[in-house]
Amino acid sequence: MDFEIYKIMFDVAIVGGSSTGLIAARELSKHGLRVCVLEEHEIGEVVCSGLISVNGVKELGIKPENVENIIRGVRFVSPSNVEIYAHSNIDRAFVVNRGLFDRQIAEEALSSGAKIFEKFRAKKIAFKNDYVDINGEIRAKIVLGCDGLKSIVARACSLNPPRRVVASAKAVFKNADYLQEDVAEVYFRDYAKGFFAWILPRGKCVEIGVGVRKANLRLALERFLKERGLELKSFQTGAFPVEVVSDTCGYRAMIVGNSAGQVKASTGGGVITGGICAKIASKACLKSLEEDKFDKDFYKKNYEDIWKKSLLREFYAHIIIRELYERLDKHSLDALFKIAREEGIDKIMIKYRDTDKPSKFLDEIMKKEKIISFLSQFI
C-alpha cells in the first residue's frame, strides 16, 4: 500500500467487498464521505447464489441487465418424492448474476468517490484514541466489518461470530433437466440434513447445489447430482450463518451482513437483509461523524436497535422454519408434506410469496390445526 494512502484519514473503512460492504460504500460516498473498501479477493470473484425477491431487486437498485431469469413458482420435494408445487403468473423472484451485481455496486461507489482496494487482506485492526488502524496501512474514524463468518473486525471488537453455520456447494451445468424455466426446485434429502438441495434455472444454464449442517458436503452434492444423472466435475463452496448475533457493535465499529448473522436462515439468502442493514449502518456512520460520537452505546442505539426492530422478527421466523426441518427425519418430513398438501399450503405460498418476510406466512400456517398438531411433537 502506498504510504500516501496512510496519510489519508478515511471517514469509514469497510472490510469486505461483497454486496453488503459495497452497498455501504455506495451509500456513504453519495454523501461526500471519504470511504474505502478493503477486499482480499477481486470484486465479484467469490459470490453466492443470487435468487432475490422482487422487492429486494427494487430496494437494492439492481439493473435489469444483471437479471438472468424470473422465478414465478417453487417445487418442494420430500425424501420419498411427495411434492408441493406453487406457481402463479406473478413474478416471485429474480435470478441475479451476483458477480455482475457486485461490480455494478462497486462502479457506483467508485463514481461517487469511494476507493476500493482489491487483494487487500485485513490482518490486524487496532483501535486508537481517535481512529482505527488497519494493518498499519489504512486509517479511518469508523470501521465496518462486512467480512463474513471469520470477521476480523468482530474479533478485534471481542464480538462473538455466528456459531451455527450451513456449508454449501453448487455446480453449474449448461444441460440439465429441470421442471420448468420459471420454477425453483427444493429437495429434502437425508444426505443434506439440516438444509436442502436445490435446482435453480439461470437462463442459459442451471445451478444445482446442496447445503448441509452435519454431513459431508462433497458427498452430498455428488449424491444429488447422481439422482439427476449428472457427474461432478467442478463446484464452488461457501458457508452462511443460521443464527443471529446479539451484539453487533463496538467502539468505532459495527459488523454487518454474514458477520452479524443477518441472513435468512431457512434459505441462506443474505443479499437483501445485508443490504438493508448496510443502509442502516451507513446512516449511523453519518450521524456518528456529524455528532462526533463513536462509542458502543451510540452505535447500539443508532444501528443495532434499528436493524433489530426492522428485521429481527423475520430472522427468527426463518430460524424457526429451518430448525423445524432440521429436527424432522425423512418419515416425518414425508408426513408433513402430505398434511400440508391437504391443508392447501400451495395457495398460502402463492399468497405470501415474499421470502424476505416469512412471519406473515407463519401466522397463516398457525391457523392450520392439523399442521400445528403434527409439528407440536417436534417443538
Side-chain angles (χ1 to χ4, degrees):
M1 185 70 69
D2 192 329
F3 179 72
E4 292 300 315
I5 296 296
Y6 192 73
K7 291 181 180 179
I8 301 173
M9 177 65 74
F10 288 99
D11 293 307
V12 184
I14 301 166
V15 181
S18 66
S19 60
T20 299
L22 293 168
I23 288 168
R26 180 181 68 181
E27 297 303 307
L28 290 164
S29 58
K30 284 179 182 177
H31 290 84
L33 270 63
R34 290 167 294 182
V35 181
C36 68
V37 178
L38 311 175
E39 169 54 44
E40 64 175 314
H41 303 100
E42 292 183 358
I43 299 298
E45 178 183 355
V46 180
V47 294
C48 62
S49 301
L51 185 60
I52 299 176
S53 67
V54 173
N55 290 335
V57 167
K58 295 176 182 177
E59 172 78 25
L60 300 183
I62 298 173
K63 293 181 178 179
E65 57 264 34
N66 295 335
V67 174
E68 297 179 321
N69 194 18
I70 300 173
I71 298 298
R72 299 185 179 92
V74 61
R75 177 192 185 213
F76 289 96
V77 184
S78 79
S80 67
N81 296 324
V82 180
E83 294 187 16
I84 295 174
Y85 176 73
H87 184 277
S88 72
N89 293 323
I90 300 173
D91 296 348
R92 186 185 187 96
F94 294 100
V95 181
V96 173
N97 185 310
R98 280 294 315 281
L100 293 179
F101 172 52
D102 284 6
R103 287 190 281 274
Q104 171 201 323
I105 314 170
E107 290 170 4
E108 291 168 353
L110 287 167
S111 66
S112 295
K115 294 185 179 297
I116 298 176
F117 301 111
E118 298 176 295
K119 303 292 184 180
F120 184 102
R121 184 181 179 186
K123 299 177 181 178
K124 185 177 180 180
I125 296 178
F127 293 93
K128 308 296 184 178
N129 288 334
D130 54 358
Y131 67 94
V132 183
D133 180 285
I134 303 173
N135 290 7
E137 298 177 85
I138 296 288
R139 297 187 304 159
K141 296 177 182 177
I142 304 168
V143 62
L144 294 184
C146 305
D147 47 342
L149 291 170
K150 298 181 179 179
S151 171
I152 188 171
V153 177
R155 293 200 301 271
C157 297
S158 298
L159 301 176
N160 295 320
R163 291 174 294 178
R164 295 174 65 83
V165 174
V166 164
S168 64
K170 64 179 182 179
V172 177
F173 297 86
K174 289 187 177 180
N175 297 302
D177 291 333
Y178 54 86
L179 183 66
Q180 61 193 73
E181 189 174 2
D182 64 348
V183 173
E185 301 178 51
V186 175
Y187 293 77
F188 292 94
R189 295 292 188 256
D190 56 355
Y191 52 78
K193 185 67 176 175
F195 206 63
F196 51 76
W198 69 87
I199 298 175
L200 182 64
R202 290 178 52 173
K204 296 180 180 179
C205 61
V206 182
E207 176 183 306
I208 300 178
V210 297
V212 300
R213 274 271 294 140
K214 299 176 182 178
N216 185 299
L217 182 59
R218 183 189 178 99
L219 180 60
L221 182 56
E222 287 177 336
R223 290 185 63 179
F224 187 53
L225 290 176
K226 188 176 181 180
E227 287 184 23
R228 321 304 303 176
L230 298 168
E231 182 181 351
L232 180 62
K233 294 182 178 179
S234 63
F235 62 101
Q236 185 181 43
T237 61
F240 54 87
V242 289
E243 68 174 359
V244 183
V245 172
S246 59
D247 197 357
T248 58
C249 52
Y251 172 66
R252 292 185 181 271
M254 289 166 275
I255 56 174
V256 192
N258 278 19
S259 57
Q262 294 161 341
V263 172
K264 298 179 289 186
S266 69
T267 67
V271 176
I272 306 304
T273 50
I276 292 171
C277 292
K279 290 185 177 183
I280 296 170
S282 298
K283 290 179 181 179
C285 287
L286 287 166
K287 191 171 183 180
S288 171
L289 292 164
E290 288 172 359
E291 300 184 13
D292 199 34
K293 294 180 180 179
F294 305 96
D295 58 279
K296 180 174 180 174
D297 288 342
F298 179 88
Y299 295 128
K300 184 180 185 307
K301 178 181 178 181
N302 292 280
Y303 167 60
E304 187 174 292
D305 290 351
I306 295 174
W307 77 252
K308 286 183 177 179
K309 182 178 180 179
S310 175
L311 293 171
L312 195 59
R313 183 170 185 260
E314 304 303 334
F315 285 143
Y316 283 152
H318 278 289
I319 289 170
I320 289 169
I321 293 169
R322 197 206 64 82
E323 289 190 350
L324 275 174
Y325 57 69
E326 182 172 11
R327 294 180 187 182
L328 272 59
D329 61 24
K330 59 183 181 180
H331 302 295
S332 300
L333 275 169
D334 285 333
L336 176 60
F337 267 59
K338 292 174 183 177
I339 295 171
R341 283 181 57 164
E342 293 173 3
E343 293 293 293
I345 196 171
D346 56 327
K347 294 180 177 62
I348 301 173
M349 290 166 60
I350 290 171
K351 182 178 180 180
Y352 299 101
R353 60 187 178 274
D354 188 353
T355 57
D356 296 333
K357 298 179 179 180
S359 59
K360 291 182 179 179
F361 171 78
L362 280 184
D363 289 343
E364 196 68 21
I365 292 297
M366 293 293 288
K367 300 174 184 177
K368 302 295 182 179
E369 292 184 8
K370 287 184 179 180
I371 295 177
I372 296 305
S373 176
F374 178 80
L375 291 176
S376 62
Q377 62 188 303
F378 303 100
I379 298 174

